[in-house]
Amino acid sequence: MHVVVNAATSADGKLSSRRREQVAISGEADFDRVDRLRADSDAVVVGVGTVLADDPHLTVKDDALREQRRDAGEPANPARVVVDSTGRTPLDAAVLDDAATTYVCLTESAPVEQRLDLADRAELVTAGDERVDLLRAFAALQNQGLEQLMVEGGGELIFSLFDAGLVDELSVFVGPTIIGGRDAPTLADGDGFVADFPELELADIERLDNGVLLRWHVADEAET
C-alpha cells in the first residue's frame, strides 16, 4: 500500500481558520493537480471532522479523467474512506451518495444504531475499541484491493497516520495568505511529537498559482 497525504495550507501552516470553515487557499492550477491525484488513486481518505466541517464529495471533477479511469477498467471515481471512530458521519453526507463505494472505519464502541444506519449506505470496517486502529483498518482496505490511498485531511487524522508510520509521501500546497490563530487547525494536530520526529526527504519544489507546491518522501525509520 502507498499512502500520499495531500493538503493546502496558508503560509503560516494553517488548514483553516479557528472557525474550521473552508478557506480559499488554492487556485485553479492546484485544484487541477488535486483532481489528477484523486484520479490516480484507489481511494480518497478523510477524517470525520472533515466530513462534518466541509461535507466534501471526494470525486473526480474532470470528465476526461473519469473517462480515463473507465477506459482502464476502473470505476469513474475512486473509493472514499471516512475514519470515524464513533459513527458520526451524517446519513445525508455527500460521501455516502452512489457516486463511488464508501468505506467507513469504525470502532467496536460505535453505537449499534449508527452502525446499522451507515451499513445501508457504506461498507463498514471495524478496527479498534475506542479509536480506529489505523494499521488494522488500512490492512483491511488493502485486502479490498485499495493500494494507492490519497489522504485529504484533517490535521488530527494526518498526525495519527504519521504516528502510525503509514505515510509514504506528503504533498503540500502553501498558499499566499496568513490565517493565524492558536486554535486554527494545522497540517498535523493531535498530540504532537516530542521525540522520534518523522523525517522527510524533499523530492520536488514547484511554483503553482501564487504559491508553492512542496513534495516530500517520508524516510524509512531504519534510515533515520
Side-chain angles (χ1 to χ4, degrees), residues 94-205:
V95 292
L96 297 181
D97 68 9
D98 60 2
T101 300
T102 299
Y103 297 84
V104 178
C105 300
L106 301 162
T107 63
E108 298 285 357
S109 61
V112 173
E113 184 175 352
Q114 279 96 314
R115 294 172 64 89
L116 291 174
D117 287 340
L118 287 169
D120 288 336
R121 295 165 172 80
E123 301 291 328
L124 302 188
V125 176
T126 303
D129 297 323
E130 299 295 329
R131 294 184 56 130
V132 171
D133 183 325
L134 292 169
L135 287 170
R136 287 173 51 193
F138 276 39
L141 295 173
Q142 187 173 26
N143 288 338
Q144 295 297 316
L146 305 180
E147 293 289 347
Q148 177 83 9
L149 301 189
M150 173 191 182
V151 179
E152 293 199 25
E156 295 279 343
L157 175 60
I158 291 172
F159 169 78
S160 296
L161 289 169
F162 272 107
D163 194 34
L166 286 167
V167 182
D168 298 294
E169 293 184 39
L170 173 64
S171 293
V172 182
F173 174 80
V174 181
T177 189
I178 298 292
I179 294 175
R182 64 179 60 87
D183 296 323
T186 64
L187 178 69
D189 285 333
D191 294 332
F193 296 102
V194 295
D196 299 323
F197 306 106
E199 295 289 338
L200 306 178
E201 299 172 349
L202 186 62
D204 190 36
I205 302 173

Side-chain angles (χ1 to χ4, degrees), residues 32-51:
D32 291 344
R33 179 191 66 84
V34 171
D35 207 33
R36 292 192 299 272
L37 187 54
R38 283 183 183 173
D40 289 339
S41 302
D42 296 320
V44 180
V45 186
V46 295
V48 66
T50 298
V51 172

